[in-house]
Amino acid sequence: MRIGVIQASTRVGINELLYQATVKVAGHKHRVVNLGVFADEIENYSYVDIALMISLLIETDSLDFVVTGCSSGQGMMMACNSLPSLRCGFVQTPQDAYLFGRINNGNVVSLPLGLNFGWSGELNLLYILEKLFTDAFHTGYPTRDASRKQVDATLVLSLNALTKKSWELYTSLHQPQYVVFR
């Protein structure tokens, strides 16, 4: 799996910690790429800007999964869930992360990287990522309900396909002269 790490400019100071924690937990099994936002960047990117970037990265198959966030994590989650190809979970705790990975079959997690990110915040981040990447995704949980949970997650994929139009469709309908995705 190709995992990208990227966050809004409001939390630029946490990028390296977010990247290193993701590499520590998932780097031995997956390819992890740090896309910033970096401290030396001139531009400031809102959570909406980053969500658009994430959507393009996922839809073009450049990445399979993204670890992201903003100050509260809520705005990024809402922006991502408004865009094509994204199924984003708001993850605050290791339990959230474990259940999201096993049940929801999402491809983006949005973390609160400011709110309540105080003393030992880096430990909670590490525990969250450990639980997220511990086992295979989309296996269902608990075991007795696994098949029902897998069916529900697949239905969510179908709903996304019905309610969100891909960037590829948008570009073919509007025929821009400067954008070609796939």
Side-chain angles (χ1 to χ4, degrees):
M1 179 166 41
R2 294 160 300 173
I3 302 168
V5 173
I6 187 170
Q7 83 295 323
S9 292
T10 57
R11 300 309 299 155
V12 69
I14 210 159
N15 174 265
E16 189 61 23
L17 173 64
L18 186 59
Y19 173 67
Q20 291 301 328
T22 306
V23 167
K24 182 176 183 176
V25 170
H28 62 285
K29 286 197 255 181
H30 308 289
R31 183 170 165 232
V32 181
V33 179
N34 190 355
L35 299 168
V37 172
F38 303 106
D40 59 353
E41 289 189 39
I42 297 169
E43 293 293 323
N44 285 314
Y45 299 101
S46 73
Y47 65 87
V48 176
D49 297 326
I50 298 301
L52 285 165
M53 291 178 206
I54 293 169
S55 180
L56 292 170
L57 290 164
I58 294 284
E59 180 137 316
T60 59
D61 294 322
S62 298
L63 295 174
D64 303 304
F65 195 88
V66 174
V67 176
T68 189
C70 60
S71 294
S72 72
Q74 295 284 358
M76 184 71 76
M77 182 264 310
M78 291 176 63
C80 285
N81 282 328
S82 300
L83 294 167
S85 302
L86 301 186
R87 298 169 318 280
C88 182
F90 173 63
V91 174
Q92 301 183 85
T93 67
Q95 296 91 336
D96 288 340
Y98 185 81
L99 294 173
F100 177 75
R102 300 320 143 271
I103 296 171
N104 301 116
N105 197 21
N107 54 11
V108 182
V109 290
S110 180
L111 306 168
L113 300 173
L115 185 65
N116 297 322
F117 200 92
W119 186 72
S120 77
E122 72 283 353
L123 290 176
N124 190 49
L125 174 62
L126 193 59
Y127 299 153
I128 285 171
L129 294 171
E130 283 174 355
K131 288 301 178 187
L132 180 64
F133 294 112
T134 294
D135 297 324
F137 279 28
H138 193 50
T139 56
Y141 182 88
T143 306
R144 70 181 179 275
D145 296 328
S147 60
R148 181 178 60 82
K149 299 287 187 172
Q150 291 169 328
V151 168
D152 287 346
T154 302
L155 288 172
V156 170
L157 288 175
S158 297
L159 287 171
N160 270 290
L162 287 172
T163 61
K164 297 178 188 177
K165 301 301 176 202
S166 75
W167 292 111
E168 184 178 11
L169 176 63
Y170 176 81
T171 57
S172 67
L173 291 174
H174 293 88
Q175 299 178 8
Q177 284 121 31
Y178 59 91
V179 179
V180 177
F181 296 115
R182 292 191 199 193

